[in-house]
Amino acid sequence: MPIAEPIYLDNNATTPLRAETIAAIQQAMGPPANPSSVHSFGRQARLHVEDARQALSVLVGCQTQDVVFTSGGTEANNLALSGFSNVITSAIEHDSILKAAPQASLLPVTGDGVVDLAVLKQIVTMLPANQREKTIVSVMAANNETGVIQPLAEIVEIARDGGLATHSDMVQMLGKAHIDLATLDLDFVSFSAHKIGGPSGIGALIVRSGMSLTSLLRGGGQEQGRRSGTENLLGITGFGAAAVAAFGDVAHHRQMAGWRDDFEVSIGAARPDVVLFGTGMPRLGNTSCFAIAGKASETLVMALDIAGFAVSAGSACSSGKVTASHVLTAMGAGEKAAQAIRVSGGWQTRKEDFDRLAQVVAGL
Ligand code: PLP
C-alpha cells in the first residue's frame, strides 16, 4: 500500500526549488533582461546578476569578481580543465570530469572511498618539470554517491608543492558543509544551483584572481570574457536566492547526520545483509549509500518507489539505464557496486522521512 505523499530522498541528484527561489525568479520574470544593455531594463537585469554573484561569493568565501556563471556544474568542471593538457584526478569523480579528461591520471581510492594521497604524491614527484605548468590536480570535495569528504587541504598542499594548478568540484558540498574558499589554496572551484534548491541549468566556476582561463564559449565577452553568451538571468537570480537561503542549510545537514546515522544503525540491526559504504570516514550528513546483498539496485529502487520513496541507484545514466557504480567499483565493492542504492536528504527533509524509510527497508 503506497503512502500518500511520496518522500523524496534523492537530493544529491537534484533538489526541489525553494519558495525563495521561485519568488525571486517570479520577481525578475517578464521585462526584457539583457544585463549588457545600458538602458534601465538592462541595468535592472545587471543588478539581479550582481546581487546573485555577491550572494554566492559570501556563501563560499571568495571574491565577488571571481564568480563566473556557467550553465551548471558540468560546464564549470569542463571549463576548469579546459586550459590544461595534463589532468590528475580521482577515479570517483563525476563524469563531467572523467569524460572531459579521458587521458587523466586517475588516483585510486581506499575501501572507504578516500583518495590515496601516497599515489598523488608519487605522481606529482615524478612529473617532468616541463609538464608542470600545464598540469592540474582536480579532486572533488565530497562524493555524490557516498558523501565521503576528501582531504582537500592535503591534496592541495601536495599539488602546490609540485607547482601544479588546483581545482575542486564542490557541487555536492555546497549547502551541506561549511565552505570557506579563503582558507583553501584552490585556483578553480565548481558549483551548481540545483543541488541547493536553485534551478537546474545554472552553476558557477570560481576562478581565482590572476588565474588565466581558457574559455569554452567565445562570443560577446560576457562574464569578463570568461564565458560568453547572454546571461541566464532567471537562472542566475534563482541561484542567488537559493544561495542566500542555503546559509541555514549547514546546521540542518549537521542535524540530519544524526537522523542518517540512526537510519543506518536501524537498517543494519534489522538486516544482516545490509552493507554500508563510507561509514568510517567524514561524510556529508545527508547521504547514505548501502547495498542489500543479492538484490540488484534497480530492483530496490523500484520496490522503494512503489512503497513511496524516491531514492537512486548508484550512478544513473541519462538514458535511465543503471550500470554498476564506478565509484563503488573503485572502492573495491565488487558485485555490490551493482546492488547499492543512495539515499540523500535535502533542505526539506525531516527526521521522520529517514525513520519511515528505515521501517520499509527493514521489511523489504
Ligand atoms: N559534479 C557532481 C559531483 C555532481 O553530483 C553533479 C550533478 O550530479 C555535477 C558535477 C554536474 O552538475 P550539473 O547537473 O549542474 O551539470
Side-chain angles (χ1 to χ4, degrees):
M1 187 57 186
I3 48 178
E5 264 300 288
I7 293 176
Y8 184 75
L9 284 166
D10 194 14
N11 292 270
N12 287 4
T14 197
T15 54
L17 285 183
R18 294 169 184 272
E20 297 91 331
T21 307
I22 295 169
I25 292 174
Q26 277 172 342
Q27 210 233 321
M29 255 165 99
N34 187 335
S36 300
S37 302
V38 292
H39 48 61
S40 59
F41 293 101
R43 291 200 306 278
Q44 183 56 47
R46 172 60 56 199
L47 279 182
H48 285 306
V49 170
E50 297 315 318
D51 281 355
R53 201 186 307 280
Q54 170 93 25
L56 180 62
S57 68
V58 172
L59 180 63
V60 303
C62 72
Q63 301 290 317
T64 308
Q65 67 271 17
D66 295 354
V67 176
V68 178
F69 287 114
T70 65
S71 65
T74 298
E75 185 189 327
N77 281 345
N78 276 257
L79 181 58
L81 304 188
S82 65
F84 297 89
S85 52
N86 190 26
V87 177
I88 302 169
T89 189
S90 82
I92 58 165
E93 298 295 314
H94 188 262
D95 275 347
S96 52
I97 292 289
L98 295 176
K99 292 195 174 155
Q103 314 293 341
S105 308
L106 292 187
L107 303 167
V109 296
T110 64
D112 273 322
V114 178
V115 165
D116 190 327
L117 296 180
V119 176
L120 173 62
K121 248 183 218 159
Q122 203 181 9
I123 294 177
V124 172
T125 312
M126 284 166 60
L127 200 64
N130 63 0
Q131 277 191 33
R132 289 178 189 262
E133 205 185 319
K134 280 285 160 197
T135 301
I136 187 164
V137 173
S138 171
V139 176
M140 66 197 335
N143 184 263
N144 43 307
E145 291 183 35
T146 61
V148 170
I149 294 172
Q150 300 301 320
L152 210 50
E154 283 98 318
I155 290 166
V156 169
E157 194 183 328
I158 295 168
R160 288 299 187 212
D161 286 349
L164 309 183
T166 53
H167 166 249
S168 184
D169 173 347
M170 290 200 176
V171 164
Q172 290 294 343
M173 186 81 119
L174 190 61
K176 297 175 188 145
H178 182 62
I179 295 176
D180 184 9
L181 295 183
T183 63
L184 277 170
D185 195 8
L186 283 160
D187 295 317
F188 305 100
V189 179
S190 303
F191 294 113
S192 175
H194 71 108
K195 312 291 183 177
I196 60 162
S200 52
I202 185 74
L205 182 68
I206 312 303
V207 182
R208 184 216 288 271
S209 310
M211 229 19 229
S212 73
L213 184 71
T214 305
S215 299
L216 291 173
L217 301 180
R218 289 153 217 179
Q222 287 87 348
E223 295 294 274
Q224 297 188 26
R226 297 171 294 187
R227 201 276 185 183
S228 284
T230 302
E231 293 87 342
N232 171 0
L233 182 82
L234 299 182
I236 291 172
T237 303
F239 193 2
V244 171
F247 266 96
D249 283 1
V250 174
H252 176 64
H253 277 81
R254 210 169 284 140
Q255 202 180 17
M256 205 187 307
W259 310 339
R260 184 271 320 269
D261 291 348
D262 290 350
F263 164 80
E264 292 183 338
V265 168
S266 164
I267 61 169
R271 316 188 55 120
D273 52 356
V274 162
V275 180
L276 295 159
F277 297 103
T279 48
M281 288 296 133
R283 269 185 305 162
L284 298 176
N286 75 322
T287 308
S288 177
C289 182
F290 63 93
I292 298 182
K295 286 194 198 278
S297 27
E298 292 110 301
T299 315
L300 281 175
V301 169
M302 282 189 276
L304 289 173
D305 188 37
I306 291 165
F309 294 88
V311 302
S312 72
S315 35
C317 305
S318 51
S319 61
K321 192 173 140 262
V322 180
T323 50
S325 152
H326 73 279
V327 173
L328 298 177
T329 302
M331 287 164 63
E335 62 183 11
K336 302 265 179 324
Q339 296 170 354
I341 62 170
R342 174 187 70 188
V343 172
S344 52
W347 60 266
Q348 77 293 359
T349 300
R350 302 151 305 166
K351 179 177 177 349
E352 67 214 63
D353 299 337
F354 275 99
D355 291 348
R356 285 160 77 175
L357 180 63
Q359 283 168 12
V360 171
V361 170
L364 277 178

